[in-house]
Amino acid sequence: MARLKLFLPLIIFAALALLFWRGLSLNPQEMPSALVNKPVPDFALLDVESNRELNKADLPDKPLLLNVWATWCVSCRVEHPYLNKLAEEGVPIVGINLKDDNEAALKWLEKFHNPYVFSVADVEGRLALDLGVFGAPETFLVDAGGTIRCKHVGVVDDRIWQTKLQPLYDRLQKQPWDAFAGELSDSLLSRCH
């Protein structure tokens, strides 16, 4: 029994080292979302530009990106030019302006251009909370029926678009999700959790 007590610290150290090693191998960009394959939550929020109340029924009835952004978010500034590029290429993007001042949001969109079909002001952060958002930026790929098919935490850039979001976006453009969900490889779907 006395010898076991001598090895106890070593056993505890080995167990902790194993846990830390496992934690370091995880990708923080791949946070699972309970809302993947679930509908976009209902909302009734004011449009940043027009101050008109918008809701889930106002979402375009085609595949789109739902992008959580804010003027206080440094990474959002990095991401914004790429969102403008995607919008110019015809990708519909709906914005969720998270816990921001509306005047600051309007100035941001004037200065950096507006890639959004519309952007709602989520002043209290309730829609973001319903979406399971950890912070800005976060982007969701939504199908034509309003169901979330993919979530990305962090900046959307050319690499993320081409390897993670665009393959699914292109498939959603061609046919409904249900028609090809069974055909998708596990590796393609695993990138969207």
Side-chain angles (χ1 to χ4, degrees):
M1 198 64 167
R3 287 187 178 186
L4 184 61
K5 287 183 182 177
L6 288 174
F7 289 105
L8 191 59
L10 181 60
I11 293 168
I12 292 171
F13 173 77
L16 287 174
L18 183 64
L19 287 173
F20 286 132
W21 175 78
R22 173 69 177 126
L24 289 173
S25 68
L26 298 175
N27 183 349
Q29 299 291 325
E30 295 178 8
M31 293 188 203
S33 174
L35 287 183
V36 170
N37 296 326
K38 303 249 189 306
V40 171
D42 290 327
F43 63 90
L45 297 169
L46 298 179
D47 179 47
V48 169
E49 290 186 304
S50 71
N51 224 20
R52 179 174 65 103
E53 187 174 277
L54 299 171
N55 59 48
K56 184 176 164 179
D58 294 304
L59 292 174
D61 58 353
K62 55 187 169 185
L64 62 98
L65 296 179
L66 191 60
N67 176 254
V68 179
W69 67 284
T71 61
W72 47 261
C73 166
V74 176
S75 297
C76 296
R77 187 170 291 205
V78 171
E79 174 184 65
H80 203 79
Y82 196 76
L83 295 180
N84 281 317
K85 179 181 180 249
L86 290 176
E88 287 171 13
E89 293 173 1
V91 176
I93 307 170
V94 172
I96 300 172
N97 183 238
L98 180 61
K99 295 185 178 181
D100 214 342
D101 174 68
N102 204 60
E103 279 300 312
L106 284 169
K107 287 178 184 173
W108 167 287
L109 294 175
E110 271 182 36
K111 182 175 182 181
F112 300 114
H113 305 290
N114 186 354
Y116 304 111
V117 174
F118 63 81
S119 188
V120 292
D122 192 11
V123 178
E124 295 177 6
R126 287 190 182 162
L127 177 56
L129 186 63
D130 290 345
L131 285 166
V133 169
F134 293 96
E138 288 191 25
T139 303
F140 300 84
L141 177 60
V142 179
D143 70 15
T147 300
I148 296 168
R149 296 304 180 185
C150 189
K151 175 183 179 180
H152 175 72
V153 177
V155 172
V156 172
D157 57 16
D158 196 51
R159 182 182 62 80
I160 295 299
W161 174 249
Q162 289 186 13
T163 61
K164 182 176 183 177
L165 298 172
Q166 187 178 23
L168 282 173
Y169 176 79
D170 289 346
R171 293 292 299 266
L172 289 171
Q173 293 256 87
K174 292 177 187 167
Q175 57 192 22
W177 175 265
D178 294 339
F180 73 89
E183 302 170 18
L184 289 176
S185 68
D186 289 338
S187 65
L188 189 59
L189 287 173
S190 69
R191 294 182 219 164
C192 288
H193 296 287

